[in-house]
């Protein structure tokens, strides 16, 4: 901080700054000349990033400009916050916003801890064969297309599907799961757990193997039983991993499983299933209201960015762990 | 060391819980396979669980003779091959450069890439971009926009960083150019990570459907996932429209859906036992960095 102040109060210093800059430029030039082959590898990836990542980022500007189909990708005229005002006053927007928050809090509550529990349970298994067997099967859903997963969800929850067969076997009434809004959240959460628990456990298992064995020996000496060892050694040992993944999850809070919801929801359960991204999809691509949909998307992305940065900030402040 | 009674009880319960996890994981698969071999009437009566009832392979025959299905299957293979090759080349080049600690601007280029993981253009700007590029109904709309996964690139980068510097120094003293060193020394030594990345990208392309859904209008260009998606979507609306009248069409649909799902997932299931350990080591490599 200090040098900056000095630069502004003592003009002569500025010459020094430009000198530094100039020599830096020549350094870069020198480096490029020496390693031009290496730098040439960067060409395609950087062009790719600019066109397919950064131009769409700038393309978000149509949230503030009126976009005409067939016109410029950056819109035709400034309309300021017009589209943002529109969605703030849009009752459907607030409805889908609530649905999104509901689904993402349920996800944090149920889906996030599932792999941790699985990893802890697997950690207590001594037979490596059984452990491998459980792991290998539980990864499987991770390798499937969302289309297959949604197909399975629809088949299992169908009126003549396996779940209803089970309910009827125990003398219950048939339930029309996909036509009843109150069932959407349980179905979504249960399928998320099913999909992600095995694969998610990998990172925690890796973290578990890194815990120093002598800590357990010492705890045993002190008379700690297995449960106490878990609370005082195992869980603190995987805490950094938990926190890193938690930060990433918090950043994606508003981006709940768009593809899956798009594939399994229907107008009958919009009441609970419609989320920001699916609403955006309908407004933008089915009703061609591009600027409005972009405003909603930008809002979602900015919240995500703020969430990642603040989660990271607080995590670093209180636990010394962070993404960067 | 003696175990307490509680711990012994816990170990038994633990095994039961994990077996239950295995059962729950596998059930949907086995259910779909059972349905694919079952009679339509039995599926509709809700009798099919884990074992096929009213065994029939007619639907398999019908679908395997359906040219639309084969066209979409062929499309998926083409998109997967082209997409994976492009992704591999781009990701490997990028990761290699960023792993070179001596390179000026390395930090900048890395954050330039990583930032895109946290903030992105969103659905509509991406859609407009592809339209403007005129890539509607072309393979490029499917294989290019997701060519580099930054996550994969970071995994690769940390692998390259773990390689001994001396190797390349020795090569350059012997007069090898950067290109030569990269092709003749680095790549052959990187087979494990290349295999992992190859699998990540290939499975990703095989499974993807949304890009095709957005940018392809011609059904003869659909990948098999989109073919399946349309089958599923069509059947659902049919069901909700005529809730109780179980006409032949929806009956057949349930069976056809199951068969198509099995056929779509089959290649993945076939390679799964052999490749899953690569995936695991890949994801672990990625975690080392964090």
């Amino acid at each position: 901080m200090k040098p900056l102040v000095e630069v502004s109060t003592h003009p002569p210093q500025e010459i020094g700054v430009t000198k530094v800059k100039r020599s830096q430029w020549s350094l870069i030039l020198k480096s490029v000349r020496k390693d031009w082959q290496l730098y040439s590898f960067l060409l395609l990836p950087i062009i790719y990033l600019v066109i397919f990542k950064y131009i769409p980022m700038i393309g978000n500007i149509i949230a503030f400009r009126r976009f005409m189909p067939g016109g410029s990708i950056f819109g035709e005229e400034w309309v300021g916050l017009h589209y943002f005002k529109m969605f703030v006053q849009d009752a459907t927007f607030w409805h889908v916003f609530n649905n999104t928050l509901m689904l993402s809090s349920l996800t944090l509550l149920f889906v996030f801890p599932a792999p941790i529990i699985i990893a802890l349970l697997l950690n207590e298994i001594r037979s490596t064969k059984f452990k491998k067997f459980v792991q290998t099967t539980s990864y499987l859903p991770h390798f499937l297309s969302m289309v297959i997963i949604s197909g399975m969800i629809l088949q299992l929850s169908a009126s003549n599907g396996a779940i209803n067969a089970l309910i009827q076997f125990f003398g219950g009434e048939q339930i029309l799961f996909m036509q009843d809004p109150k069932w959407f959240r349980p179905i979504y959460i249960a399928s998320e757990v099913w999909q992600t628990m095995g694969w998610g456990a990998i990172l925690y298992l890796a973290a578990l193997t890194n815990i120093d064995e002598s800590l357990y020996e010492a705890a045993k000496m002190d008379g700690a039983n297995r449960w106490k060892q878990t609370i005082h050694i195992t869980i603190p040992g995987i805490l950094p991993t938990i926190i890193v993944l938690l930060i990433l999850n918090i950043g994606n809070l508003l981006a709940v499983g768009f593809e899956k919801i798009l594939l399994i929801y229907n107008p009958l359960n919009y009441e609970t299933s419609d989320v920001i991204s699916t609403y955006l999809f309908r407004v933008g691509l089915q009703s061609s209201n591009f600027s409005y949909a972009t405003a909603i998307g930008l809002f979602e992305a900015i919240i995500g960015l703020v969430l990642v940065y603040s989660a990271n900030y607080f995590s670093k402040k209180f636990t010394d762990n962070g993404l960067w | 060391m003696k175990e307490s009674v509680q711990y012994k009880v816990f170990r038994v319960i633990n095994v039961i819980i994990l077996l239950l996890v295995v059962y729950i994981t596998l059930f949907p698969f086995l259910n779909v396979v059972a349905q694919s071999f079952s009679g339509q009437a039995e599926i509709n009566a809700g009798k099919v669980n884990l074992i096929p009832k009213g065994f029939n392979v007619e639907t398999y025959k019908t679908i395997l003779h359906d040219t639309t299905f084969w066209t979409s299957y062929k499309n998926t293979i083409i998109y997967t091959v082209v997409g994976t090759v492009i992704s591999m080349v781009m990701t490997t080049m990028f990761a290699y450069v960023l792993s070179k600690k001596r390179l000026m601007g390395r930090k900048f280029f890395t954050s330039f890439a990583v930032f895109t993981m946290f903030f992105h253009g969103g659905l509509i700007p991406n859609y407009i971009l592809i339209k403007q590029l005129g890539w509607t109904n072309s393979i490029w709309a499917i294989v290019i926009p997701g060519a580099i996964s930054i996550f994969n690139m970071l995994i690769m980068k940390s692998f390259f960083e773990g390689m001994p510097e001396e190797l390349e120094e020795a090569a350059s003293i012997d007069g090898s150019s950067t290109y030569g060193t990269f092709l003749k020394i680095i790549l052959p030594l990187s087979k494990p990570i290349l295999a992992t990345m190859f699998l990540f990208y290939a499975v990703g392309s095989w499974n993807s459907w949304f890009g095709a859904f957005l940018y392809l209008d011609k059904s003869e260009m659909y990948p098999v996932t989109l073919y399946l998606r349309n089958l599923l979507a069509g059947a659902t609306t049919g069901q909700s429209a005529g809730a109780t009248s179980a006409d032949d069409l929806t009956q057949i649909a349930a069976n056809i859906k199951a068969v198509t799902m099995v056929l779509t997932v089959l290649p993945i299931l076939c390679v799964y036992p052999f490749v899953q350990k690569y995936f695991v080591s890949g994801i672990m490599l990625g975690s080392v960095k964090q």
Side-chain angles (χ1 to χ4, degrees):
Chain A
M1 274 297 140
K2 246 191 171 166
L4 259 178
V5 179
E6 275 169 25
V7 166
S8 54
T9 43
H10 303 283
Q13 281 272 346
E14 276 175 25
I15 298 165
V17 173
T18 46
K19 242 184 196 163
V20 169
K21 265 191 182 162
R22 197 169 296 152
S23 71
Q24 213 165 19
W25 272 116
S26 69
L27 255 174
I28 291 174
L29 269 177
K30 217 168 149 190
S31 163
V32 173
R33 210 170 298 149
K34 184 171 150 262
D35 272 325
W36 66 269
Q37 291 190 324
L38 211 47
Y39 280 102
S40 71
F41 281 160
L42 276 174
L43 207 62
L44 280 178
I46 294 295
I47 292 176
Y48 164 82
L49 284 181
V50 167
I51 296 181
F52 294 98
K53 301 288 171 188
Y54 282 89
I55 288 186
M57 263 181 223
I58 303 165
N60 270 318
I61 205 161
I62 66 164
F64 306 95
R65 292 167 69 85
R66 201 181 308 281
F67 174 82
M68 302 288 179
S72 159
I73 159 166
F74 301 118
E76 304 299 322
E77 50 169 333
W78 288 101
V79 291
L81 294 175
H82 173 73
Y83 293 107
F84 290 88
K85 281 180 194 144
M86 232 166 106
F87 78 64
V88 170
Q89 289 160 4
D90 178 353
T92 318
F93 172 78
W94 289 109
H95 173 72
V96 298
F97 186 78
N98 282 335
N99 274 346
T100 312
L101 275 190
M102 196 66 195
L103 279 182
S104 50
S105 351
L106 288 172
T107 305
L108 275 187
L109 201 62
F110 292 104
V111 183
F112 183 74
I116 304 175
I117 295 168
I118 295 288
L120 290 176
L121 291 179
L122 278 170
N123 197 38
E124 301 297 324
I125 296 288
R126 282 178 207 167
S127 150
T128 26
K129 261 193 188 155
F130 181 67
K131 204 170 161 178
K132 272 247 166 75
F133 167 68
V134 176
Q135 283 186 267
T136 310
T137 32
S138 62
Y139 300 153
L140 194 52
H142 180 82
F143 294 89
L144 300 187
S145 171
M146 207 50 93
V147 178
I148 300 279
I149 287 169
S150 70
M152 285 176 173
I153 297 171
L154 293 175
Q155 296 239 21
L156 286 174
S157 62
S159 57
N160 50 22
I163 296 176
N164 265 315
L166 191 73
I167 292 174
Q168 282 168 326
F169 178 79
F170 286 108
E173 284 279 310
Q174 187 187 55
I175 300 171
L176 298 172
F177 288 104
M178 294 317 290
Q179 290 164 42
D180 189 344
K182 77 166 186 278
W183 280 104
F184 184 81
R185 283 169 190 158
I187 291 172
Y188 175 84
I189 296 298
S191 64
E192 279 296 289
V193 171
W194 176 77
Q195 251 176 282
T196 54
M197 64 181 170
W199 187 254
I202 295 177
L203 290 180
Y204 296 114
L205 283 167
L208 282 171
T209 56
N210 287 335
I211 298 175
D212 189 354
E213 206 46 49
S214 63
L215 289 175
Y216 289 107
E217 299 295 327
K220 270 185 216 159
M221 294 289 197
D222 292 344
N225 62 21
R226 200 62 200 162
W227 174 248
K228 284 211 168 120
Q229 291 172 29
T230 306
I231 296 293
H232 297 292
I233 300 169
T234 314
I235 293 184
I238 58 173
L239 200 62
T241 312
I242 295 181
I243 285 173
V244 164
L245 292 176
L246 191 62
I247 296 171
L248 288 171
N249 267 276
I250 287 173
N252 285 326
L253 209 59
L254 290 192
V256 285
F258 167 61
E259 280 194 19
K260 188 160 90 180
I261 297 177
L262 194 67
L263 285 165
I264 62 174
Y265 81 156
N266 64 56
L268 291 172
N269 56 29
Y270 273 1
E271 192 186 323
T272 50
S273 63
D274 203 8
V275 291
I276 298 178
S277 44
T278 49
Y279 179 57
L280 183 161
F281 172 79
R282 289 202 310 279
V283 168
L285 297 179
Q286 289 175 355
S287 319
S288 293
N289 209 336
F290 285 174
S291 288
Y292 185 43
T294 305
I296 298 175
L298 185 58
F299 174 77
E300 189 184 311
I302 287 173
I303 289 189
L305 195 65
V306 170
L307 284 173
V308 165
Y309 275 89
S310 30
N312 193 54
Y313 172 80
F314 285 113
S315 158
K316 265 176 132 171
K317 196 165 174 182
F318 296 115
T319 71
D320 284 334
N321 298 305
L323 283 180
W324 57 85
Chain B
M1 187 121 195
K2 255 185 75 95
E3 286 174 359
S4 67
V5 181
Q6 287 113 307
Y7 189 56
K8 274 183 187 153
V9 173
F10 164 77
R11 297 205 344 140
V12 174
I13 297 174
N14 189 14
V15 170
I16 295 172
I17 294 175
L18 289 175
L19 283 175
L20 206 65
V21 167
V22 169
Y23 178 75
I24 292 171
T25 309
L26 291 182
F27 183 82
F29 290 90
L30 300 172
N31 184 244
V32 168
V33 174
Q35 288 198 10
S36 74
F37 286 109
S38 292
Q40 291 125 28
E42 282 81 358
I43 298 177
N44 265 45
K47 282 182 187 162
V48 182
N49 230 329
L50 286 176
I51 301 148
K53 300 265 166 67
F55 190 83
N56 96 90
V57 286
E58 286 309 308
T59 324
Y60 273 98
K61 284 186 190 157
T62 319
I63 295 208
L64 291 176
H65 281 110
D66 178 14
T67 46
T68 334
F69 176 78
W70 281 116
T71 313
S72 61
Y73 219 79
K74 188 194 76 197
N75 289 338
T76 293
I77 295 172
I78 295 172
Y79 300 153
T80 302
V81 170
V82 176
T84 307
V85 168
I86 293 175
S87 295
M88 287 298 291
V89 173
M90 300 264 277
T91 310
T92 313
M93 290 197 309
F94 203 17
Y96 180 66
V97 182
L98 295 186
S99 75
K100 287 281 141 278
K101 294 202 174 69
R102 66 162 196 274
L103 199 81
M104 272 197 85
R106 179 178 98 113
K107 276 240 167 71
F108 168 77
F109 290 117
T110 308
S111 19
F112 191 74
V114 169
F115 182 68
T116 65
M117 288 174 91
F118 298 113
F119 189 72
H120 40 83
L123 182 64
I124 306 295
N126 277 302
Y127 179 80
I128 296 172
L129 174 72
I130 300 296
K131 289 262 161 181
Q132 293 277 333
L133 288 169
W135 282 2
T136 313
N137 283 322
S138 97
I139 180 176
W140 308 121
I142 313 298
V143 298
I144 301 284
I148 300 179
S149 144
I150 301 302
F151 183 77
N152 289 353
M153 189 277 287
L154 292 175
I155 294 178
M156 255 191 145
K157 172 172 164 270
S158 68
F159 178 91
F160 287 137
E161 275 167 0
M163 285 183 134
E165 292 266 348
E166 293 79 19
L167 264 173
E168 289 173 50
E169 278 162 21
S172 73
I173 288 168
D174 286 348
S176 169
S177 69
T178 308
Y179 294 150
T181 314
F182 179 66
L183 290 174
K184 290 196 192 110
I185 294 170
I186 302 298
L187 286 187
L189 285 173
S190 312
K191 274 180 199 142
I193 195 72
L194 291 173
T196 310
M197 287 302 125
F198 183 81
L199 292 168
F200 273 140
Y201 280 122
V203 170
S205 312
W206 186 277
N207 284 338
S208 72
W209 67 284
F210 192 62
F213 174 63
L214 283 184
Y215 304 120
L216 303 180
D217 304 325
K218 296 184 189 153
S219 60
E220 68 266 23
M221 289 190 73
Y222 287 171
V224 71
T225 41
L226 193 53
Y227 172 90
L228 177 60
R229 181 261 163 199
N230 291 341
L231 203 68
L232 293 169
T236 358
T237 48
Q239 251 175 6
S240 48
T244 47
S245 73
D247 58 273
D248 269 4
L249 206 70
T250 57
Q251 285 183 29
I252 296 165
N255 190 281
I256 291 180
K257 279 189 284 185
V259 171
T260 315
M261 279 163 76
V262 170
L263 291 176
T264 308
V265 87
L266 202 62
I268 304 244
L269 287 187
C270 288
V271 295
Y272 177 72
F274 307 103
V275 304
Q276 56 100 8
K277 63 172 187 287
Y278 284 102
F279 278 98
V280 175
S281 54
I283 195 99
M284 301 257 241
L285 262 172
S287 70
V288 169
K289 203 228 145 216
Q290 293 176 335

Coordinates of all heavy atoms in Angstrom, one line a residue, chain B residues 22 54 74 76 90 97 140 181 213 223 253:
Chain B
V22 N -25.3 -50.5 -1.9 CA -25.1 -51.3 -3.1 C -26.4 -51.6 -3.8 O -26.6 -51.4 -5.0 CB -24.2 -52.5 -2.9 CG1 -24.2 -53.4 -4.1 CG2 -22.8 -52.1 -2.5
G54 N -42.8 -62.2 -18.4 CA -43.4 -62.3 -19.8 C -42.2 -62.0 -20.8 O -42.3 -61.2 -21.7
K74 N -24.8 -43.8 -34.6 CA -23.6 -43.5 -35.4 C -23.2 -42.0 -35.1 O -22.0 -41.7 -34.9 CB -24.0 -43.7 -36.9 CG -22.8 -43.6 -37.8 CD -23.2 -43.4 -39.2 CE -23.8 -42.1 -39.5 NZ -24.6 -41.9 -40.7
T76 N -23.7 -40.3 -32.4 CA -23.0 -40.2 -31.1 C -21.6 -40.7 -31.2 O -20.7 -40.0 -30.6 CB -23.7 -41.1 -30.1 OG1 -25.0 -40.6 -29.8 CG2 -23.0 -41.2 -28.8
M90 N -6.3 -29.8 -27.3 CA -6.4 -28.5 -26.7 C -6.0 -28.5 -25.2 O -5.2 -27.7 -24.7 CB -7.8 -27.9 -26.8 CG -8.3 -27.8 -28.2 SD -8.0 -26.1 -28.8 CE -9.4 -25.3 -28.2
V97 N 1.8 -26.1 -21.2 CA 2.4 -24.7 -21.1 C 2.2 -24.2 -19.6 O 3.2 -23.7 -19.1 CB 1.6 -23.7 -22.0 CG1 2.3 -22.4 -21.9 CG2 1.7 -24.2 -23.4
W140 N -19.9 -28.7 -35.2 CA -19.1 -27.8 -34.4 C -19.8 -27.3 -33.1 O -19.2 -27.1 -32.1 CB -18.6 -26.6 -35.2 CG -17.9 -27.1 -36.5 CD1 -18.3 -26.8 -37.7 CD2 -16.8 -28.0 -36.5 NE1 -17.5 -27.5 -38.6 CE2 -16.6 -28.3 -37.9 CE3 -16.0 -28.7 -35.6 CZ2 -15.6 -29.1 -38.4 CZ3 -15.0 -29.6 -36.1 CH2 -14.8 -29.8 -37.4
T181 N 10.6 -32.3 -27.9 CA 10.6 -32.8 -26.5 C 9.2 -33.2 -26.1 O 8.9 -34.2 -25.5 CB 11.1 -31.7 -25.5 OG1 12.3 -31.1 -26.1 CG2 11.4 -32.3 -24.2
F213 N -29.6 -30.7 -28.3 CA -31.0 -30.3 -28.1 C -31.1 -28.9 -28.5 O -32.1 -28.5 -29.1 CB -31.3 -30.6 -26.6 CG -32.7 -30.1 -26.2 CD1 -33.8 -30.6 -26.7 CD2 -32.8 -29.1 -25.2 CE1 -35.1 -30.1 -26.3 CE2 -34.0 -28.6 -24.8 CZ -35.1 -29.2 -25.3
P223 N -27.8 -37.1 -31.6 CA -27.1 -38.2 -30.9 C -28.1 -39.1 -30.2 O -29.3 -38.7 -30.0 CB -26.2 -37.5 -29.9 CG -26.9 -36.2 -29.6 CD -27.7 -35.9 -30.9
A253 N -44.4 -48.1 -25.4 CA -43.4 -47.0 -25.1 C -42.6 -47.4 -23.8 O -41.4 -47.3 -23.8 CB -44.1 -45.7 -24.9

